[in-house]
């Protein structure tokens, strides 16, 4: 179930979030079915790099899909969007654009590119145009991982404890420690960025909610999926469902590409 009565009531009472449930916020469900696409572009979020999609990629390539995983600079939002747009410009036709976590910010803006036929959000941020996403998130209980972000000057990363317990909680510990060792740092100014357009208002959208997420509040994820009218699945997964549940994520991408999973 995408959003039960308790969750819906929580969202309705959540200050700024409540206003998002207006008719204005329920636009994308009427966009329709995606056209068939042979290209998929993946966008990673914070505390990761492009290789975090490897488990999903290895399931999609045998299906004949052309895959590219963007290496985001995670410096500013505009520079990260530009990196995704350069990859999208190289695609030779309709393209599914997939974002995880903070990558959803990038997907929401870069998804306006004419090559993008559908959007997939995996436990991801999904802001509206000019929305203060941080303020929206604060209308929901703060997830535990937030307390584990540490900064060296302007450069941020997750502590090992937060990474293992709150970011990759359902990943075998040995694998999670490898992921922790290779996490890509982000610049503090990245978090200040706002999108100026919301592609989910214009293109078919899909959302994978992680019910055990300790990095983004699961009720916030459910709210975002509901607001965009997304074709939604819910997985009993940590924030890293793309690694712990790659078959489910791959199936959702295949559907977004216009094919039966």
């Amino acid at each position: 179930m995408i959003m039960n009565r308790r969750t819906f009531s929580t969202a309705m009472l959540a200050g700024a979030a409540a206003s998002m449930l207006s008719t204005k916020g329920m636009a994308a469900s009427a966009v329709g079915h995606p056209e068939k696409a042979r290209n998929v572009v993946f966008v990673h979020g914070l505390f990761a790099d492009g290789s975090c999609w490897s488990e999903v990629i290895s399931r999609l390539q045998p299906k004949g899909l052309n895959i590219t995983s963007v290496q985001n600079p995670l410096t500013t939002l505009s520079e990260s969007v530009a990196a995704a747009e350069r990859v999208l410009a190289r695609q030779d036709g309709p393209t599914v654009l997939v974002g995880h976590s903070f990558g959803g910010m990038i997907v929401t803006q870069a998804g306006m590119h004419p090559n993008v036929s559908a959007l997939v959000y995996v436990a991801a941020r999904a802001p509206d145009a000019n929305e203060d996403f941080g303020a929206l998130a604060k209308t929901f209980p703060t997830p535990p991982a937030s307390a584990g972000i540490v900064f060296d000057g302007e450069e941020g990363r997750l502590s090992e404890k937060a990474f293992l317990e709150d970011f990759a909680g359902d990943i075998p510990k040995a694998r999670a420690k490898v992921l922790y060792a290779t996490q890509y740092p982000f610049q503090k100014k990245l978090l200040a960025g706002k999108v100026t357009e919301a592609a989910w208002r214009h293109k078919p959208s899909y959302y994978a909610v992680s019910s055990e997420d300790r990095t983004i509040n699961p009720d916030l994820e459910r709210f975002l999926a509901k607001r965009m009218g997304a074709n939604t699945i819910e997985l009993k997964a940590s924030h890293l469902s793309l690694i712990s549940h790659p078959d489910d994520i791959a199936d959702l991408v295949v559907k977004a590409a216009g094919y039966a999973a």
Side-chain angles (χ1 to χ4, degrees):
M1 182 167 65
I2 297 171
M3 181 177 282
N4 59 31
R5 185 176 296 173
R6 176 188 60 78
T7 302
F8 183 76
S9 298
T10 298
M12 286 292 289
L13 294 171
S19 66
M20 300 300 180
L21 288 174
S22 64
T23 303
K24 176 180 181 292
M26 303 287 287
S29 59
V31 172
H33 299 292
E35 60 183 308
K36 291 191 181 301
R38 284 292 178 185
N39 304 304
V40 180
V41 171
F42 288 103
V43 179
H44 68 83
L46 308 183
F47 324 122
D49 66 10
S51 67
C52 69
W53 293 103
S54 296
E55 294 293 336
V56 179
I57 292 171
S58 67
R59 286 159 171 78
L60 294 177
Q61 286 179 330
K63 298 180 182 294
L65 292 168
N66 173 50
I67 311 294
T68 308
S69 187
V70 179
Q71 295 289 0
N72 297 317
L74 300 182
T75 48
T76 66
L77 181 59
S78 61
E79 289 171 350
S80 295
V81 168
E85 289 175 336
R86 287 192 294 272
V87 173
L88 289 169
R90 296 200 297 266
Q91 307 308 304
D92 60 359
T95 302
V96 177
L97 183 59
V98 188
H100 172 243
S101 192
F102 188 89
M105 297 283 292
I106 300 166
V107 162
T108 297
Q109 183 78 46
M112 295 301 297
H113 193 283
N115 282 344
V116 176
S117 56
L119 308 168
V120 179
Y121 292 84
V122 180
R125 300 185 180 204
D128 204 348
N130 300 306
E131 181 174 58
D132 183 340
F133 190 84
L136 172 63
K138 287 178 181 176
T139 65
F140 294 82
T142 302
S146 298
I149 300 175
V150 294
F151 285 94
D152 297 322
E154 295 297 306
E155 188 173 89
R157 57 178 54 78
L158 270 185
S159 69
E160 183 172 10
K161 184 177 186 294
F163 193 102
L164 299 181
E165 296 179 5
D166 302 324
F167 188 69
D170 61 347
I171 308 297
K173 187 172 182 179
R175 176 73 189 284
K177 291 189 77 169
V178 171
L179 295 171
Y180 166 73
T182 60
Q183 69 169 301
Y184 193 80
F186 69 93
Q187 295 297 307
K188 188 179 292 185
K189 58 188 175 182
L190 175 72
L191 304 179
K194 291 183 182 180
V195 303
T196 58
E197 296 182 275
W200 52 263
R201 288 193 172 277
H202 308 282
K203 301 186 181 184
S205 299
Y206 297 73
Y207 201 110
V209 172
S210 286
S211 67
E212 311 304 303
D213 204 324
R214 292 169 60 86
T215 300
I216 295 179
N217 188 298
D219 280 344
L220 174 55
E221 294 178 17
R222 295 180 185 109
F223 168 78
L224 296 170
K226 178 76 172 181
R227 178 171 71 170
M228 70 172 68
N231 183 322
T232 304
I233 63 172
E234 183 157 329
L235 304 172
K236 189 175 182 179
S238 73
H239 195 56
L240 290 183
S241 59
L242 63 169
I243 296 175
S244 63
H245 291 70
D247 290 324
D248 296 295
I249 301 303
D251 286 349
L252 191 62
V253 173
V254 168
K255 289 178 183 177
Y259 303 96

